[in-house]
Amino acid sequence: MPESDRPEMSQQSLAFFDLETTGLGQGCEIVQLAAVSGGHSLNLFVIPRCRMQRGAARVTGFRVRRHRLYLHRQLVLTNSLREVLVSFIAFLRMLGRPLVIGHNIRRFDCPLLARALDELDLRADFDSSVSGCVDTLPLARELLKGRCLQSFRQENLVRELLGVSYKAHDALEDVRALQALYGVLQPTAELICRHRFTLDTMENKPAPQSKMPCRVPGQRPLWEHFRQTVKVTESEAEELHE
């Protein structure tokens, strides 16, 4: 059977995405962008143009000193914001317009991402590389409303449903944990469709529950989308001056 005729080839791929930032306000900036799809991952860092807020620095472990970025006192390699976003878009394109999934991304990560894409004139490139976005926070609230959970924070959901703890507030660890969590949640196609949004519609309220089924292509093994290895050119860290 030709590859294009295989049932799984028409199914939807998934990319799990998260940002770490300089703070929680609308003016904060990206420090780390991570994404995973199956066993493949992207993990990039940016030196922000604004100061790290104390609370964010304490939670994430990021510090900026003499125009260098440190994570838990270790110097990390960084890229420009443009390089990070272009690499993210390339990662998404290799997946064949995936559904981008994250926790609390509708209110936080996606507005910040959209602002950065607009600033660098990359919004159209991103929009053409994805089939939409889904926020697992409201999705989990709807899916687990009968569980009487005290918190729908991702760390709590992972602990309650997977029975494990992980290194939260590291974007790469967050998306790896979310991918595992999503596999346990197993939302229906109708639920996914109801919570799907784009950067243009993210300020709208999620669609109300409908009696009409909403058809969304199913998930196929994510590694099948990859035909080459993601190669990201990282800028070399400058020598540390005392």
Side-chain angles (χ1 to χ4, degrees), residues 187-201:
T188 64
E190 182 179 354
L191 187 61
I192 294 169
C193 185
R194 196 157 63 246
H195 286 273
R196 182 187 297 220
F197 65 93
T198 67
L199 297 187
D200 289 329
T201 64

Side-chain angles (χ1 to χ4, degrees), residues 147-198:
R147 294 286 295 267
C148 299
L149 298 175
Q150 294 183 348
S151 170
F152 285 88
R153 293 173 61 87
Q154 183 176 309
E155 306 97 290
N156 186 64
L157 292 176
V158 170
R159 185 169 53 251
E160 291 287 339
L161 300 182
L162 299 177
V164 298
S165 297
Y166 72 98
K167 184 181 176 183
H169 304 297
D170 177 307
L172 183 58
E173 295 301 318
D174 282 336
V175 290
R176 284 172 172 165
L178 183 60
Q179 182 171 243
L181 176 64
Y182 192 85
V184 172
L185 290 174
Q186 296 185 333
T188 64
E190 182 179 354
L191 187 61
I192 294 169
C193 185
R194 196 157 63 246
H195 286 273
R196 182 187 297 220
F197 65 93
T198 67

Side-chain angles (χ1 to χ4, degrees), residues 16-26 28-36 42-46 52 56 59-60 62 81 84-85 88 100-117 126 154 168-176 178 199 202:
F16 297 85
F17 147 79
D18 187 43
L19 298 176
E20 296 300 334
T21 64
T22 57
L24 297 177
Q26 293 183 349
C28 67
E29 294 194 353
I30 297 171
V31 180
Q32 181 186 14
L33 183 153
V36 299
L42 184 74
N43 186 31
L44 299 172
F45 302 90
V46 182
M52 289 288 305
V59 169
T60 64
F62 283 112
L81 182 58
V84 168
L85 295 178
F88 183 39
V100 176
I101 299 173
H103 202 73
N104 197 32
I105 59 172
R106 190 165 189 159
R107 295 182 60 184
F108 185 73
D109 302 73
C110 281
L112 182 55
L113 175 65
R115 191 184 76 201
L117 290 167
F126 175 85
Q154 183 176 309
H169 304 297
D170 177 307
L172 183 58
E173 295 301 318
D174 282 336
V175 290
R176 284 172 172 165
L178 183 60
L199 297 187
M202 61 187 168

Side-chain angles (χ1 to χ4, degrees), residues 128-139:
S128 66
S129 302
V130 301
S131 63
C133 305
V134 170
D135 189 336
T136 54
L137 176 57
L139 184 147

